[in-house]
Amino acid sequence: MQRQGIPPRFVGGLRVTDAESLEIVVAVLGGLINKELVSLMEQLGGRCIGLSGIDSCMLTCGIANPELGYVGEIQSVDTGPIRALVDSGYIPMIAPLGVHRFDGSDNAGKPLNINGDTVAGELARELQVDRLVFLTDVAGVMDGGGRVISRLDQRRANMLLNSGVAGGGMIPKLQACLRGLEGGAVADIIDGRHPNALLDCLQGRSTGTTITTSLNSRS
């Protein structure tokens, strides 16, 4: 987008997507980035297939907020393609794109951009996963003094959102974690820049923020 001279704009931590930006988003997220990640996964020995939420209308949406442009608010999730791939031994690599519901409007069937954190939270909820891990470029959720909060429950996470302590890109991440918890997941927000960060997290050595339904529960 920078090369095309399109400056990014954000509202509430979410990127605004106009018609010109949408073409770039679909081409880059659904094409270039998705296939690069699939190739990397294959090099590491995984059997991986790239998809987007547009395929088989996995993610059907409406317009989330006219101020955000062509950004989708997920209204229904079809987990069938994901379950079929996993049951067949494949790792789905899913680009965060959706399709506007077929409602006869001018936007019917149009691809829509969706925040990746939001997609992860909705899929975690619908698939009822055990773990939801966000690899980010920050150390975790910070308190008002800039210190990482190692453990959160639903109540405290909502307090951080409502008080404004959590802001910017952390807003959709925390909201996605709370959605994942509804399906039974334990959620983690960790610094993906650290070597072996994901492995350490899954082995109980997370240095980021773990979010559970209550502070007494941990899967």
Side-chain angles (χ1 to χ4, degrees):
M1 290 178 66
Q2 289 177 343
R3 287 198 296 268
Q4 295 295 324
I6 304 173
R9 294 188 296 122
F10 294 86
V11 173
L14 299 174
R15 184 188 294 271
V16 175
T17 306
D18 58 21
E20 191 175 11
S21 301
L22 182 64
E23 293 184 0
I24 298 173
V25 165
V26 173
V28 174
L29 294 186
L32 180 64
I33 298 297
N34 186 269
K35 301 316 172 190
E36 285 181 345
L37 290 171
V38 169
S39 177
L40 287 169
M41 189 69 74
E42 291 282 345
Q43 290 178 50
L44 293 170
R47 301 174 67 206
C48 189
I49 291 180
L51 301 167
S52 80
I54 299 171
D55 296 307
S56 192
C57 294
M58 278 193 294
L59 300 175
T60 302
C61 310
I63 296 291
N65 179 348
E67 289 186 52
L68 295 173
Y70 295 106
V71 173
E73 180 178 58
I74 299 172
Q75 297 179 341
S76 65
V77 179
D78 178 8
T79 60
I82 300 172
R83 294 184 186 279
L85 286 175
V86 172
D87 290 344
S88 298
Y90 292 98
I91 301 168
M93 186 69 69
I94 303 168
L97 302 167
V99 61
H100 193 285
R101 63 182 181 272
F102 297 95
D103 57 359
S105 70
D106 291 341
N107 292 318
K110 182 183 287 293
L112 295 175
N113 186 20
I114 314 173
N115 179 272
D117 300 326
T118 303
V119 171
E122 291 299 319
L123 291 179
R125 179 179 182 271
E126 294 298 323
L127 291 165
Q128 297 185 320
V129 302
D130 295 325
R131 298 295 296 273
L132 171 62
V133 182
F134 289 93
L135 296 170
T136 71
D137 59 356
V138 296
V141 181
M142 307 292 186
D143 62 17
R147 297 177 295 270
V148 175
I149 304 172
S150 61
R151 299 290 298 277
L152 282 174
D153 60 11
Q154 287 172 304
R155 182 182 65 83
R156 291 186 65 202
N158 276 310
M159 287 176 58
L160 290 176
L161 288 169
N162 295 333
S163 66
V165 172
M170 190 55 69
I171 294 174
K173 285 182 174 59
L174 270 179
Q175 291 173 335
C177 288
L178 291 172
R179 289 293 282 173
L181 262 58
E182 292 178 14
V186 170
D188 290 273
I189 299 175
I190 63 175
D191 192 340
R193 298 170 297 183
H194 291 178
N196 300 316
L198 179 58
L199 183 61
D200 287 344
C201 177
L202 295 178
Q203 293 180 343
R205 300 191 298 272
S206 173
T207 58
T209 301
T210 298
I211 305 168
T212 58
T213 52
S214 70
L215 292 181
N216 292 323
S217 65
R218 172 82 192 204
S219 295

